[in-house]
Amino acid sequence: MGNLSKTEKYLIYTVWRTINLDTDLIDYFKGKVMKKNKPQGDVASHRQVDVKQIGRKKKEATLPITRGETRRLIRELQARQIELEIQSEALIQSRAEIEAVLRQYSDLYDFAPAGYFTLGRDGTIRQTNQIGAHLLGVEYSDLIRQGFNRFVSDKSLPIFNTFFEMLLSGEGKITCEIEFVKNKNELLWADVEATCFEGGNETRAMLTDITERKRTEDALKKSEAQYRTLIELASDGIFLVNSDGRY
């Protein structure tokens, strides 16, 4: 025993203490059970037997562990340590892969060509991407927890209220065109496509900027109206013909 290292001595002591404690506890509870079941006259003799058994078992438990057994225990502990290190490395690798996938989807979400919004049942903005914040002309941090209807123009507010009520009632995916006000005075037309989730507690909406298209449509309507007025007020007869000269 004198040639053992500190680690080996510590392992021997730990094993010895464990064996002694387990033996004492087992004998203690055995004595309790036997005392309960034995007649009173046999208690003294039984105690003497228990004392002899405890002494014998302690002698058996305190037998020194051989150097070979100590080395076997050390090898088992080292093997277990290597196994835990391998598992730790695998967990670290898995976490790195998950974080990489999350970054990828985060980039796709933030830099998508459309604005994405997650709304609560009360219409407050819970989450959005960078394009969504840009479309409404508000910093991302200032946009969260704001009411989505706050950015809807007065002209489109009744349309939006009806649209949102239909969403909460479980109508499925629905779309509408809504006029928003950004930067307090700039108008933004957007095609809004939304779906309700979580039993009506959450709504996800996608906004696509259609401002240029709406401007073109409005300009075309004005041009058609002016042309129609010009024809109706003309004093001369006006005929429309094709390239062949036919009416």
Side-chain angles (χ1 to χ4, degrees):
M1 294 290 288
N3 296 327
L4 296 178
S5 65
K6 290 184 178 180
T7 302
E8 293 172 337
K9 290 179 179 179
Y10 176 75
L11 287 172
I12 292 172
Y13 173 75
T14 303
V15 173
W16 178 82
R17 285 293 300 159
T18 303
I19 294 173
N20 274 274
L21 288 173
D22 291 344
T23 303
D24 291 344
L25 287 173
I26 291 170
D27 290 336
Y28 173 78
F29 286 110
K30 278 185 176 180
K32 287 289 186 181
V33 173
M34 294 296 292
K35 182 178 179 180
K36 183 177 179 180
N37 297 331
K38 285 275 186 177
Q40 293 295 327
D42 296 336
V43 171
S45 59
H46 181 66
R47 284 179 179 173
Q48 292 178 356
V49 174
D50 285 346
V51 170
K52 292 180 180 179
Q53 289 178 348
I54 290 173
R56 185 171 64 255
K57 289 183 178 180
K58 280 187 175 181
K59 289 181 180 179
E60 294 174 357
T62 54
L63 290 176
I65 299 177
T66 64
R67 190 180 185 87
E69 291 176 342
T70 303
R71 290 177 176 175
R72 179 181 60 79
L73 289 173
I74 293 174
R75 286 196 298 271
E76 290 179 358
L77 290 174
Q78 290 174 340
R80 179 58 177 165
Q81 182 178 0
I82 294 172
E83 182 182 351
L84 291 174
E85 289 175 354
I86 294 173
Q87 292 177 357
S88 178
E89 291 176 359
L91 289 173
I92 293 173
Q93 180 65 26
S94 297
R95 181 176 179 179
E97 293 174 357
I98 292 172
E99 289 178 350
V101 173
L102 288 175
R103 283 194 299 270
Q104 179 182 359
Y105 280 102
S106 178
D107 291 342
L108 290 173
Y109 179 78
D110 282 333
F111 300 105
Y116 290 103
F117 291 84
T118 301
L119 309 178
R121 189 175 183 84
D122 57 354
T124 57
I125 300 172
R126 294 181 177 176
Q127 188 177 4
T128 186
N129 60 351
Q130 294 184 14
I131 299 300
H134 174 73
L135 287 175
L136 298 183
V138 182
E139 292 292 333
Y140 177 87
S141 57
D142 296 331
L143 194 59
I144 303 302
R145 298 188 183 89
Q146 295 286 345
F148 191 71
N149 58 358
R150 174 186 171 188
F151 302 95
V152 179
S153 68
D154 293 337
K155 181 173 68 174
S156 291
L157 191 57
I159 299 173
F160 173 76
N161 289 336
T162 303
F163 169 78
F164 199 66
E165 288 175 2
M166 291 174 63
L167 272 175
L168 296 180
S169 65
E171 292 290 333
K173 183 183 292 185
I174 56 177
T175 61
C176 71
E177 294 179 356
I178 296 176
E179 185 184 57
F180 295 88
V181 179
K182 58 183 294 187
N183 299 325
K184 297 183 178 180
N185 57 5
E186 185 179 351
L187 296 180
L188 166 76
W189 275 99
D191 181 78
V192 182
E193 181 178 312
T195 308
C196 202
F197 293 90
E198 304 295 336
N201 292 322
E202 186 175 275
T203 298
R204 297 172 192 169
M206 181 180 69
L207 269 65
T208 305
D209 188 353
I210 58 171
T211 303
E212 290 300 322
R213 194 193 80 190
K214 294 294 289 187
R215 287 175 180 171
T216 302
E217 290 176 355
D218 289 343
L220 182 60
K221 288 179 181 179
K222 289 180 181 179
S223 177
E224 290 176 350
Q226 291 175 354
Y227 184 71
R228 188 178 298 106
T229 301
L230 179 63
I231 292 177
E232 291 176 352
L233 297 178
S235 58
D236 298 327
I238 299 177
F239 298 92
L240 297 177
V241 296
N242 58 21
S243 59
D244 296 332
R246 297 181 180 181
Y247 295 105

